[in-house]
Amino acid sequence: MRIFISSVRKGLEEERDALPGLIRALGHTPVLFEDFTAQTTPGREACLAALDSADVCLFLLGPAYGHVFSETGQSATHDEWVTAKTVGKPRLVYRKLGVTFEDVQRDFARTVEAYATGVFRDSFHDTAELMTKVVQKVKELESGPSPLSFAALTQPVELRWSLDEAGVEGGVNIPLLELHVLPVDFAGYSARELAEFGTSLVDRIRRTGAVSNDVALTPSSSQTHVTVSIPLTRPRRWDAARAGELVEVRLHKTGQVSLRATLPRDSMGSILDQDALPQQITALLRSTGALNLIQHERIAVAIGVSNPTLTQIDRFNPHQSRTRAELVGFGRSFTLQTEPDESTSLAALDTGAHEVAAVLARVLINQHPSAS
């Protein structure tokens, strides 16, 4: 495995120097910014590229927060934490005891420790104790099971769907893929709590990296939910092939988090691609987890597509629009919508996202008339 080591050096010098040799001795490859930059402050893009190449991320939390990047208003370690969550990297977190944390580092540690899915957390007093614990955990990772688990629902869940709501692009009702994640047996939010989350929702979306910082986000609210709308990018040509794009994030008073996105499409219409759809659902699940809104251990997940008669099962080519397509479902009455009959662990929004997405995509596509 390639194990990415994320932390500041200040206050953790001895630990950072000791870990690479230990990881190599265990037969794996350490990845840390000292290996690819001569700068004291690592370049943000270089750090994130190195993280992307890793199989596991190891986070050390010491007293210092570190240099803050102007692009994100966060430290390198904070950026790496958000990115690791978004892409579903397995994460090991170790907090140093017996030291005084800076206020901003204390806040960051609370964020890390509040996130429940797919994360192993521990603490240490000195380098020797850290080394012992890292050896044990790496050995477990070499043969450990997936953190994803399923259980039958004891009673049906009530999801809030948006399939009948207006679409995007000036009211044109192009098909939208919507993902819903509901914490099971969750009491929901008070009006005050919903308002507080609504205030932070725009910043949470930006921190996931799902949208660029220069994209204008539009928040709105009601008594039952808060919503952030995301504008579509403008294509260079009217008939250009376009990948699916996130267009809305909604938090309901019940605790349900809903994301809506366009499907991949070209001049012939929206496409349900058997390869692209699981990848898109995986990204939406991980984006939901990266929002850090749901921390309940058990969740129910469902997907649906609005205006399904305007979709086709076909292959999506991001470089070229199709010249012909057959709307098998046009003029027929059918739905593309899954209803959960079991709960899953919170790892579905992280390391288990691809597995859950594969099941959801298969069920959805099999409902389409052209699949029979």
Side-chain angles (χ1 to χ4, degrees):
M1 295 182 291
R2 290 175 58 83
I3 301 177
F4 182 82
I5 302 170
S6 178
S7 78
V8 299
R9 276 197 65 83
K10 184 179 180 181
L12 293 168
E13 295 89 349
E14 184 176 314
E15 291 86 351
R16 282 190 69 91
D17 290 341
L19 275 173
L22 176 71
I23 291 170
R24 292 189 188 96
L26 293 172
H28 304 291
T29 302
V31 182
L32 60 170
F33 78 79
E34 289 94 331
D35 293 336
F36 54 84
T37 178
Q39 302 174 17
T40 303
T41 302
R44 178 173 180 270
E45 295 303 322
C47 286
L48 297 184
L51 183 150
D52 188 58
S53 73
D55 303 296
V56 180
C57 297
L58 192 159
F59 289 86
L60 299 180
L61 301 181
Y65 182 71
H67 171 78
V68 175
F69 289 106
S70 58
E71 301 98 315
T72 62
Q74 299 176 159
S75 69
T77 304
H78 200 152
D79 278 352
E80 289 155 7
W81 170 257
V82 172
T83 300
K85 283 197 304 180
T86 303
V87 302
K89 298 284 185 182
R91 300 180 300 286
L92 310 178
V93 179
Y94 297 90
R95 177 171 180 161
K96 190 168 186 176
L97 301 177
V99 295
T100 301
F101 277 42
E102 298 174 352
D103 289 344
V104 65
Q105 178 69 344
R106 189 180 300 109
D107 292 340
F108 173 51
R110 289 196 190 101
T111 298
V112 171
E113 291 167 354
Y115 196 75
T117 177
V119 179
F120 173 83
R121 297 185 298 279
D122 206 337
S123 57
F124 65 97
H125 289 88
D126 53 34
T127 303
E129 183 180 7
L130 174 64
M131 298 299 103
T132 300
K133 291 185 173 183
V134 169
V135 168
Q136 180 181 359
K137 196 60 191 177
V138 170
K139 291 293 185 182
E140 291 177 11
L141 280 175
E142 292 171 350
S143 57
S146 167
L148 191 65
S149 65
F150 299 90
L153 288 169
T154 57
Q155 58 185 9
V157 295
E158 295 185 11
L159 294 172
R160 274 61 174 177
W161 292 88
S162 311
L163 296 173
D164 295 329
E165 293 188 13
V168 295
E169 293 190 327
V172 176
N173 285 328
I174 62 174
L176 293 179
L177 172 68
E178 56 183 66
L179 168 77
H180 305 290
V181 181
L182 175 68
V184 176
D185 297 327
F186 179 63
Y189 299 117
S190 66
R192 175 188 58 80
E193 290 173 322
L194 184 64
E196 289 177 352
F197 279 120
T199 301
S200 69
L201 192 54
V202 167
D203 288 338
R204 289 171 183 265
I205 294 170
R206 292 202 187 280
R207 287 198 296 267
T208 68
V211 298
S212 302
N213 288 336
D214 58 351
V215 173
L217 305 183
T218 306
S220 60
S221 63
S222 72
Q223 291 184 340
T224 61
H225 59 264
V226 293
T227 303
V228 173
S229 299
I230 305 163
L232 289 173
T233 58
R234 293 187 177 276
R236 289 173 295 180
R237 294 172 43 181
W238 69 270
D239 61 346
R242 305 173 66 176
E245 297 180 57
L246 181 66
V247 297
E248 182 183 282
V249 176
R250 180 175 296 184
L251 175 64
H252 297 261
K253 201 170 188 292
T254 61
Q256 175 181 321
V257 177
S258 301
L259 274 63
R260 293 208 293 175
T262 59
L263 289 163
R265 65 196 193 280
D266 57 20
S267 60
M268 295 288 101
S270 297
I271 302 170
L272 293 170
D273 186 311
Q274 295 178 341
D275 293 327
L277 183 60
Q279 295 175 15
Q280 185 176 15
I281 297 171
T282 297
L284 292 176
L285 285 167
R286 288 175 175 165
S287 292
T288 303
L291 289 171
N292 207 21
L293 291 166
I294 298 178
Q295 297 172 9
H296 210 62
E297 288 292 346
R298 306 299 301 180
I299 57 175
V301 182
I303 59 170
V305 173
S306 63
N307 296 296
T309 59
L310 301 180
T311 64
Q312 312 115 39
I313 297 178
D314 209 337
R315 293 292 180 183
F316 172 67
N317 183 345
H319 307 294
Q320 183 177 355
S321 182
R322 295 167 298 167
T323 56
R324 62 190 298 263
E326 184 178 2
L327 285 172
V328 175
F330 191 75
R332 302 173 64 173
S333 177
F334 67 97
T335 59
L336 296 179
Q337 182 176 346
T338 69
E339 291 289 349
D341 59 3
E342 60 184 357
S343 68
T344 183
S345 55
L346 203 51
L349 306 183
D350 194 341
T351 53
H354 66 286
E355 185 176 341
V356 174
V359 175
L360 292 172
R362 183 170 63 251
V363 172
L364 196 75
I365 288 177
N366 286 342
Q367 294 177 354
H368 201 280
S370 62
S372 58

